[in-house]
Amino acid sequence: RLLKMEEFFPESFRLDLKDERNAFFELCKEEQIWICKPSCSNQGRGIFLLKNPAAVNTLQAKLHSTEENLLNKRVPYKAPQARIVQRYIHQPLLLEGKKFDVRSYLLIACTAPYVLFFAQGYVRLTCVNYDAASDDLTVHLTNQYVQKKNSLYSQLKDETVWRMEHFNSYVNEKFRKTNGLPKDWVFTVFTKRMQQIMLQCFLAAKHKLDRKLGYFDLIGCDFLIDENFKVWLLEMNANPALHTNCKVLRDIIPTVVYESL
């Protein structure tokens, strides 16, 4: 069964497409949080939050000014970096009061014929407790590159990454009864949902993949779970970080690389 995009992907707009850009600015009149990020980047670079209409108006004016400048120049120009805005999920499930997301892997092992593999990854947590109103990006973004910028990171780095087994045990213990979840929800319902979403994204993009011998790609897929245990796909990364800067990653990352090869 194919899912509707709104079932698993937060409402998003491409700012490099005029119609989508205008639709976003038309929609965004009230106090609501949006996350703005470059389309092709990693490690949290260039990401910021739009938390009120004033911030949205500033962005709109900046984009308009850039567009005007490009129209006035009659020389070849480099287009501004494509960005998207995505509705911020402000009621995420928390672990020990901290925001988290899950990095899992999709290996496109072959495109002639198509061969796909799924690998469990790990849980990425922030160093500090979640506060939707905070202006500190390390409260909102879980990737290690951003967390390193928090002064607490050096003493907490091994606590910012959990194995999936630890996550499963935690959900069994803390949420299973109160939320009426089946036993081992992480390895049953959640894992199946991740696989279903990954497969659907692959089917949408497979016509763009090179169908030639030797072509393969390892995709890092980031999922967020909200407080109602709904699973959201945040993004898919064609260049997932393979750093091993804490204990759990020193176990997981080499295995993912070895098994991919």
Side-chain angles (χ1 to χ4, degrees):
R1 184 177 81 86
L2 290 181
L3 303 168
K4 291 181 180 172
M5 266 185 75
E6 58 266 27
E7 288 183 70
F8 68 90
F9 193 60
E11 188 176 11
S12 301
F13 297 89
R14 280 179 57 178
L15 295 180
D16 57 318
L17 298 180
K18 192 173 182 181
D19 288 352
E20 290 202 22
R21 185 167 70 235
N22 292 343
F24 168 68
F25 288 124
E26 194 57 42
L27 171 74
C28 199
K29 304 290 186 194
E30 303 157 23
E31 292 278 337
Q32 44 192 308
I33 305 177
W34 294 80
I35 186 164
C36 185
K37 47 190 174 182
S39 300
C40 297
S41 186
N42 58 5
Q43 299 186 325
R45 290 190 191 95
I47 295 180
F48 56 87
L49 297 184
L50 297 166
K51 301 179 77 172
N52 50 52
V56 173
N57 290 340
T58 302
L59 176 65
Q60 188 172 18
K62 187 177 174 184
L63 291 174
H64 183 70
S65 158
T66 306
E67 205 171 39
E68 291 281 298
N69 286 342
L70 294 176
L71 287 173
N72 293 335
K73 288 179 183 172
R74 295 187 180 177
V75 291
Y77 65 88
K78 186 182 176 189
Q81 187 176 34
R83 304 185 73 89
I84 69 159
V85 282
Q86 188 175 70
R87 188 179 288 279
Y88 186 81
I89 297 162
H90 63 276
Q91 291 176 311
L93 185 67
L94 302 178
L95 303 179
E96 309 285 357
K98 297 177 174 67
K99 187 178 178 183
F100 74 96
D101 63 17
V102 173
R103 160 64 57 88
S104 286
Y105 297 98
L106 170 68
L107 174 65
I108 302 168
C110 184
T111 57
Y114 292 113
V115 181
L116 307 183
F117 291 96
F118 166 83
Q120 295 283 8
Y122 53 93
V123 178
R124 313 184 296 185
L125 297 90
T126 58
C127 292
V128 291
N129 282 9
Y130 178 66
D131 172 12
S134 174
D135 290 326
D136 180 359
L137 269 183
T138 67
V139 170
H140 302 281
L141 304 180
T142 62
N143 50 329
Q144 293 279 298
Y145 186 82
V146 172
Q147 289 305 307
K148 279 182 185 175
K149 297 176 181 177
N150 190 297
S151 57
L152 295 170
Y153 179 77
S154 56
Q155 67 193 74
L156 295 176
K157 69 176 183 179
D158 281 328
E159 294 171 33
T160 62
V161 179
W162 285 10
R163 292 176 174 283
M164 294 299 281
E165 290 80 3
H166 180 183
F167 178 40
N168 183 57
S169 301
Y170 187 91
V171 170
N172 278 344
E173 184 188 332
K174 303 280 186 183
F175 300 117
R176 188 183 161 203
K177 283 186 179 173
T178 50
N179 292 79
L181 302 176
K183 188 171 187 293
D184 297 332
W185 178 86
V186 167
F187 289 130
T188 54
V189 178
F190 177 52
T191 295
K192 281 180 186 166
R193 189 63 153 188
M194 286 193 292
Q195 291 171 339
Q196 183 183 23
I197 291 169
M198 285 180 187
L199 180 58
Q200 183 158 330
C201 292
F202 166 78
L203 291 173
K206 75 174 189 176
H207 67 285
K208 296 181 178 181
L209 299 175
D210 285 337
R211 287 171 292 281
K212 61 189 179 190
L213 211 57
Y215 179 93
F216 73 98
D217 208 349
L218 179 68
I219 312 285
C221 306
D222 298 338
F223 294 91
L224 185 138
I225 302 163
D226 69 21
E227 59 181 16
N228 297 316
F229 284 82
K230 182 170 179 175
V231 178
W232 297 93
L233 172 70
L234 297 180
E235 60 186 40
M236 301 183 87
N237 301 273
N239 183 22
L242 298 172
H243 304 298
T244 54
N245 48 310
C246 65
K247 188 176 184 304
V248 172
L249 294 179
R250 282 194 290 277
D251 289 340
I252 290 173
I253 298 298
T255 304
V256 166
V257 173
Y258 179 79
E259 289 187 354
S260 295
L261 295 175

